[in-house]
Amino acid sequence: MQNNKQNDGTPPQRLTGLPPIVSENTRLLILGSFPSVASLARQQYYAHPQNHFWRILKAIWPSSHLDISLDSYEKRSKWLLDRGLGVWDVYASCERTGSLDTAIRNAEVNDFASLARRCPQLRAIAHNGGESFRHAKYTATLGLPVYRLPSTSPANASWSFERKLAAWREVVAAAGLL
């Protein structure tokens, strides 16, 4: 039986996710599970320095200028939108201690239909990792192709960077963004 209490015996606090990064030109929506502790603290998607998300996207579009270590989050967000990418999470809120998906409890799923109406050019949805993909049944109701991507999280050490990159490049190409 899973214990839903922190080490000091108190229940984990309710956490609220980040707003989506989308525009009317978003063609591929990347859905994570829920922001890490580092991402919530910085109020930025994929803020953990060991997460491969930004490195993978920079490798997919190597000729486009983006210094992922120096550019502001606002610039990185615009860079995503300029390429037709959107980012959000499957969970709007949850209880969790730490950053692992296995620690997520009492999660509330985001409203994907509402988001899709804000993105009239949306062509596909890609789930970043297994926890996110568990909710593909909800995103599939939008009538769009739904893909499972290997997690960019540092916890996904069984996939090399090169293997993750190849899988991500294939989905980005299938969505017509290359």
Side-chain angles (χ1 to χ4, degrees):
M1 184 169 141
Q2 286 281 348
N3 186 340
N4 197 24
K5 296 194 183 284
Q6 298 184 65
N7 292 340
D8 64 2
T10 61
Q13 70 179 91
R14 186 109 193 130
L15 303 170
T16 301
L18 302 175
I21 299 173
V22 294
S23 75
E24 61 185 21
N25 298 319
T26 297
R27 295 185 311 254
L28 174 61
L29 178 64
I30 307 292
L31 288 173
S33 55
F34 194 76
S36 70
V37 170
S39 292
L40 289 174
R42 293 182 64 191
Q43 290 294 289
Q44 300 179 7
Y45 283 102
Y46 304 102
H48 190 287
Q50 298 304 313
N51 193 296
H52 287 155
F53 179 82
W54 295 105
R55 279 186 54 214
I56 285 171
L57 295 180
K58 177 60 179 156
I60 290 172
W61 289 286
S63 63
S64 63
H65 176 71
L66 178 69
D67 185 339
I68 57 177
S69 63
L70 298 176
D71 282 343
S72 73
Y73 183 65
E74 182 179 312
K75 284 182 184 176
R76 284 184 280 147
S77 298
K78 183 182 179 325
W79 185 87
L80 288 175
L81 294 173
D82 288 349
R83 275 141 198 82
L85 291 175
V87 177
W88 205 21
D89 287 308
V90 295
Y91 299 131
S93 66
C94 69
E95 294 174 359
R96 185 188 65 199
T97 301
S99 292
L100 294 178
D101 286 347
T102 55
I104 292 172
R105 302 286 181 268
N106 302 317
E108 177 187 331
V109 176
N110 270 315
D111 181 356
F112 305 117
S114 173
L115 185 80
R117 287 191 293 275
R118 292 174 47 192
C119 305
Q121 295 186 40
L122 191 61
R123 294 182 188 160
I125 294 174
H127 291 270
N128 184 358
E131 180 65 23
S132 173
F133 190 73
R134 284 183 354 120
H135 300 281
K137 62 186 173 218
Y138 299 113
T139 56
T141 64
L142 299 175
L144 301 168
V146 176
Y147 300 95
R148 179 179 181 165
L149 290 167
S151 174
T152 58
S153 167
N156 183 17
S158 64
W159 283 63
S160 68
F161 177 82
E162 292 74 20
R163 190 172 166 210
K164 289 177 189 178
L165 174 59
W168 276 68
R169 183 176 280 130
E170 186 177 320
V171 169
V172 168
L177 299 182
L178 283 181

